Amino acid sequence: MRGHISKSVKILCDALGLWCIIAVSEANPDQGIKYRHAWNILKLDGQYVHLDATFDNSLSHDGVIRYDYFNLDDKRLFRDHQPVIYPAPACAASDRFYYREAKLSFTKVEDVVKRAQMAIRKDMPFVFHWRGGPFTRDVLLQLVQALEEAAQKRNRHAAVSFNRSQAVLQVRFPTELPGEAAEEDANEGEQYEGV
């Protein structure tokens, strides 16, 4: 049932002594959002951040755990979330974002390629965040081309999927030629009525 992941996160945070609440947004049928959605707001070192483990769970596949919605500020979260239905603290801490703290947030294509080369050598998937300007179609094409060129040097290819709203890309390096880059939509997975 929907909302159980956010409730589980709340229970875990409570057990660890971390301040945490469950945030709930209203449905918006005009935008194709049929149900309310729940996620968490945490207080870390005096700063509030959003954590949506449900959306991350919907993006995690092929043995890769995603953190696209881990420690987001309001600006990032509300790119693809509806406003909360009751008052909640403002989340302004943009420096706590998971990919930034994990040093997987890049502003230059050449830095993406360097990290991709390490993943190719280790035969591991590569997940990263793009913060080198707007994540446009041209930027995506430039990144895909650079990743494919790096992969071909090792007789591999770049199979790219991406979360457009959060500018996060996941890359696998198969030996077979993959299809086009695939856009992933974070969601609640299986839908049920109510929260």
Side-chain angles (χ1 to χ4, degrees), residues 25-187:
S25 65
E26 191 59 79
N28 188 342
D30 294 339
Q31 292 185 1
I33 301 167
K34 298 178 185 177
Y35 307 98
R36 289 182 174 180
H37 176 61
W39 67 92
N40 300 91
I41 296 176
L42 282 71
K43 188 175 185 180
L44 303 174
D45 299 325
Q47 299 178 314
Y48 297 100
V49 293
H50 296 277
L51 188 154
D52 192 338
T54 303
F55 270 31
D56 278 338
N57 185 55
S58 74
L59 293 170
S60 297
H61 53 81
D62 297 331
V64 177
I65 299 172
R66 296 277 290 268
Y67 300 98
D68 299 20
Y69 295 87
F70 201 92
N71 297 349
L72 298 182
D73 60 14
D74 286 339
K75 181 180 174 185
R76 281 196 176 104
L77 182 90
F78 291 117
R79 290 176 182 166
D80 58 3
H81 282 60
Q82 296 297 307
V84 294
I85 60 175
Y86 55 85
C91 298
S94 62
D95 61 336
R96 299 306 303 257
F97 180 46
Y98 170 81
Y99 291 106
R100 192 157 188 175
E101 284 198 352
K103 299 190 183 342
L104 292 168
S105 181
F106 302 102
T107 60
K108 298 177 185 172
V109 174
E110 54 268 22
D111 292 338
V112 170
V113 169
K114 285 178 190 173
R115 287 301 292 268
Q117 289 168 336
M118 290 175 22
I120 295 165
R121 280 193 300 274
K122 294 178 180 181
D123 196 24
M124 301 285 294
F126 175 44
V127 180
F128 69 95
H129 171 254
W130 177 254
R131 64 182 168 92
F135 187 57
T136 63
R137 185 179 190 321
D138 289 340
V139 167
L140 174 62
L141 291 173
Q142 184 181 10
L143 288 166
V144 169
Q145 181 179 6
L147 289 162
E148 178 64 18
E149 288 172 6
Q152 284 182 4
K153 290 178 182 175
R154 292 280 209 172
N155 297 318
R156 300 285 182 139
H157 295 282
V160 179
S161 58
F162 60 96
N163 174 351
R164 183 180 305 279
S165 62
Q166 298 304 324
V168 175
L169 293 86
Q170 179 173 326
V171 189
R172 293 180 302 103
F173 300 100
T175 56
E176 313 83 36
L177 187 63
E180 292 183 15
E183 185 166 357
E184 299 176 299
D185 288 320
N187 58 59

